[in-house]
Amino acid sequence: MTELNKFDVNKIRKDFPVLDREVSKGVPLVYLDSTATSQKPVAVIDVMDRYYREYNANIHRGVHRLAEEATAAYEEARHKIARFINAKNAREIIYTRNTTESINLVAYSWGRANLKAGDVIILTEMEHHSNLVPWYILAEGKGVKIEFIPVTEDGLLDINVYKQLLLLNPKLVAFTQMSNVLGTITAAKEMTRMAHAVGALVLIDGAQSVPHLKVDVQDLDADFLAFSAHKMLGPTGIGALYGREKVLDAMPPFMGGGDMIKKVLLGSYTPNELPHKFEAGTPAIAEAIGFGAAVDYLKNIGMENVEAHEREIATYALNMLSDFPGLQVIGPSADKRGGVTSFVMDNIHPHDVAQILDSEGIAVRAGHHCAMPLHEKYRLPATTRASFYVYNTKEEVDKLIIGLKKVRKIFG
Ligand code: C6P
């Protein structure tokens, strides 16, 4: 039996207690908002509960038994995360609060130390605000110039323009590996190779790719990869920045405080070794341990299975949505995207669509999804977004379509 045959969505669903709930009496939950945040399996909830019940203590500070157990679990999770993305070693994994903080860390630390007025960085038009605003803040203070790779009408990055922009000798190229609106999977490896050929560093926003695809930082050859636990079955409040060791080593600390120092005198300090240099103050300990359990859970399913299941559901949903009268899905064909479908229904506001779907127990997101420039590009103020993960089924897509028929009926 191949790994793929072992994938059993009904068995997986049993691991997620929230999927059993009713949104109102007799109306079961259909959760189609995993792009915003995923649900959590018992395996994650339990390890966090166990930490608080059995060995709650601060890390790297105590010599007592509880502190040693907490430190070991916290560091073991870091090793799991490193292996999950095939980092060379765990020193390259910095715990942060989320993808947003990971990108800000690079902008503040690497950006301030390495960029000067007139330097160019390249972003894309499909970025989440997290991969735009930190660079705008940096650019304002420094006089750095930002260029954007355009998005084509069918939701892909315009690689020809990218080639032209690389002639400007950028210092950094930062882009998403999967769009949270279009679902587009970008050519991250090729784009990284092209950036390195002109001497630029590469930051990949992995908020949507790490939870859904097999991501290998050595194969990608990325310099930085940012991602969040809460989108990959783990808790909120914890994320990671992968950084190439040589690059991280040369960067100044991001925040000062406890744990990030080796020595402090009155008036001076010596920073700690990696990864602690970037982890000031008491961290989210239970959350880090939960992050490790989420990685174990995904590994156990197999990322190839995760990807294949989502592609199947997304293809099914795209076919159904494309046939729906008066509905327009934005983004590329199913073979070029992950499990994200954003759409508009003519003359009906996305918030109204989402509200009526909610009355049917169907959770979707409506709005600009923190990607206002991308919506501007499509001349849309907002879209409705249904997104899929390991626990979603074709029956849930059918319920979405029935819900949309109700929307159409109400609005005529
Ligand atoms: N997108 C969505 O509903 P944080 O909030 O830091 O965990 O992740 C930020 C982020 C960065 N990049 C991409 C591609 C993302 O999708 C997100 C989060 C959520 O689309 C919440 S706005």
Side-chain angles (χ1 to χ4, degrees), residues 33 35-37 97-101 103 128 130-131 176 178-181 205 207-208 228 230-231 365 369-370 385:
D33 197 20
T35 294
T37 197
R97 279 188 306 141
N98 45 39
T99 304
T100 304
E101 188 172 292
I103 297 172
H128 186 278
S130 299
N131 200 22
T176 186
M178 191 199 292
S179 161
N180 64 321
V181 177
D205 174 348
Q208 299 301 343
S228 301
H230 73 96
K231 294 187 196 291
R365 185 172 170 190
H369 317 302
C370 302
R385 184 185 69 190

Side-chain angles (χ1 to χ4, degrees), residues 190-251:
E190 176 63 4
M191 288 174 66
T192 301
R193 191 192 58 73
M194 290 163 74
H196 284 165
V198 298
L201 291 194
V202 173
L203 179 144
I204 297 178
D205 174 348
Q208 299 301 343
S209 58
V210 178
H212 302 280
L213 311 173
K214 193 172 172 55
V215 174
D216 178 331
V217 285
Q218 291 189 60
D219 183 53
L220 285 171
D221 204 22
D223 300 291
F224 300 107
L225 175 77
F227 50 109
S228 301
H230 73 96
K231 294 187 196 291
M232 47 191 290
L233 312 180
T236 52
I238 186 101
L241 171 70
Y242 158 82
R244 196 190 294 281
E245 185 166 5
K246 215 171 78 189
V247 180
L248 287 177
D249 242 342
M251 280 162 51

